[in-house]
Amino acid sequence: MKVGIMQPYFLPYIGYFQLISAVDLFIVYDNIKYTKKGWINRNRMLLNGVDVTFSLPLKKGSDYLDVVDRELSPDWDRQKFLNQIKGAYSKAPEFNGAFQCVEKIVNFGDSNLFRYIYHSILEICQSLEISTKICLSSEIQIDHDLKSQDKVIALCKAVNGDTYINAAGGVELYSSEVFKASHIDLKFIKSKPLEYLQFGANFVPWLSIVDVMMFNSPETIKIAAHSGYEFLQEKNE
């Protein structure tokens, strides 16, 4: 069984969903520390031809809280955020359909950061017809004090995974020999270039899945999500 494991990200780039599509079981970390400088609650979209960052504002809390213990700010104006997206993409060719999906995600009523993001992941997967089973890391019986590679291997073993697939950005984080010693194959996928017209301006790559949805037909996105990637050769130890 092929397993993928990632942090939760809010409306991430298409590579996140390609990884989900490439595996049989996708595990989302919910019991990991929230990091301010990470991308858990923020991403990038196109505005007037340049990329700008959008984010989910959070209620003040300890820097040591896990993602599942963080809350959205009660002052966050969801309609204002939707208006920003509408202002950026209202003239995009696929705006109407894409905005319906985004609107459903943004208006989800839960204020818990993890559950809010998790819901958004499920909604995007449904729209892309990705049927991969998704579960939470905290639901799996392992020693959750393990870190990095050791934790990944423990999770794979616990769910009887024989192949671990990660995004290309994680190549330097893991050792294929260590995984082999645990009878797990280690593989990496890399997104193929996906370039499309963005109002005729210079193309800005790897933006939020929202950008992809605004400019591409649902069928084009489904094809990209299910097959728009390649497996990298194993690195030499």
Side-chain angles (χ1 to χ4, degrees):
M1 182 172 65
K2 301 185 292 292
V3 179
I5 308 170
M6 287 289 282
Q7 295 184 13
Y9 294 113
F10 184 57
L11 301 175
Y13 84 124
I14 193 169
Y16 190 92
F17 299 98
Q18 290 171 335
L19 176 59
I20 299 176
S21 175
V23 300
D24 302 306
L25 176 66
F26 185 72
I27 301 171
V28 185
Y29 281 125
D30 58 335
N31 54 350
I32 57 165
K33 181 181 173 183
Y34 169 78
T35 52
K36 289 182 178 179
K37 295 182 179 180
W39 288 86
I40 288 175
N41 62 314
R42 62 193 181 107
N43 216 285
R44 300 182 303 140
M45 68 178 183
L46 191 70
L47 182 63
N48 299 323
V50 297
D51 62 297
V52 297
T53 300
F54 62 84
S55 62
L56 297 172
L58 302 182
K59 183 179 180 181
K60 289 184 179 180
S62 169
D63 291 342
Y64 298 98
L65 290 176
D66 284 347
V67 175
V68 75
D69 297 317
R70 298 303 304 261
E71 297 286 325
L72 299 177
S73 170
D75 298 324
W76 181 40
D77 189 335
R78 301 185 189 207
Q79 188 56 52
K80 182 178 180 181
F81 177 58
L82 286 170
N83 288 341
Q84 290 173 341
I85 294 178
K86 184 181 294 186
Y89 290 109
S90 61
K91 296 182 180 180
E94 300 293 334
F95 172 78
N96 289 334
F99 190 74
Q100 287 182 9
C101 181
V102 173
E103 194 171 33
K104 185 176 182 181
I105 287 170
V106 173
N107 284 330
F108 182 59
D110 204 316
S111 62
N112 176 269
L113 175 63
F114 176 79
R115 292 194 296 268
Y116 190 84
I117 295 177
Y118 184 61
H119 170 263
S120 72
I121 293 170
L122 297 181
E123 286 293 331
I124 296 294
C125 283
Q126 181 177 350
S127 72
L128 299 182
E129 297 182 0
I130 296 174
S131 58
T132 300
K133 181 180 178 181
I134 301 177
C135 69
L136 312 184
S137 59
S138 63
E139 297 174 341
I140 301 172
Q141 298 301 310
I142 66 165
D143 177 2
H144 287 281
D145 289 329
L146 292 171
K147 303 296 182 183
S148 189
Q149 182 171 259
D150 293 334
K151 189 169 188 176
V152 168
I153 291 174
L155 287 168
C156 288
K157 285 183 174 181
V159 298
N160 297 317
D162 55 21
T163 303
Y164 174 62
I165 301 177
N166 196 23
V171 168
E172 299 302 323
L173 299 177
Y174 304 113
S175 164
S176 61
E177 292 302 319
V178 173
F179 275 80
K180 285 179 181 178
S182 297
H183 307 289
I184 300 171
D185 290 331
L186 175 63
K187 295 184 178 181
F188 297 92
I189 65 169
K190 180 180 180 181
S191 298
K192 295 178 182 177
L194 176 64
E195 187 166 336
Y196 45 88
L197 291 176
Q198 295 170 323
F199 302 127
N202 291 331
F203 180 67
V204 182
W206 311 128
L207 299 179
S208 163
I209 189 68
V210 171
D211 192 82
V212 178
M213 293 168 64
M214 291 292 177
F215 292 106
N216 296 275
S217 70
E219 189 59 34
T220 296
I221 304 171
K222 290 172 189 175
I223 292 173
H226 289 277
S227 60
Y229 56 85
E230 58 189 356
F231 286 94
L232 302 182
Q233 292 183 343
E234 289 188 9
K235 66 175 183 174
N236 295 323
E237 295 294 333

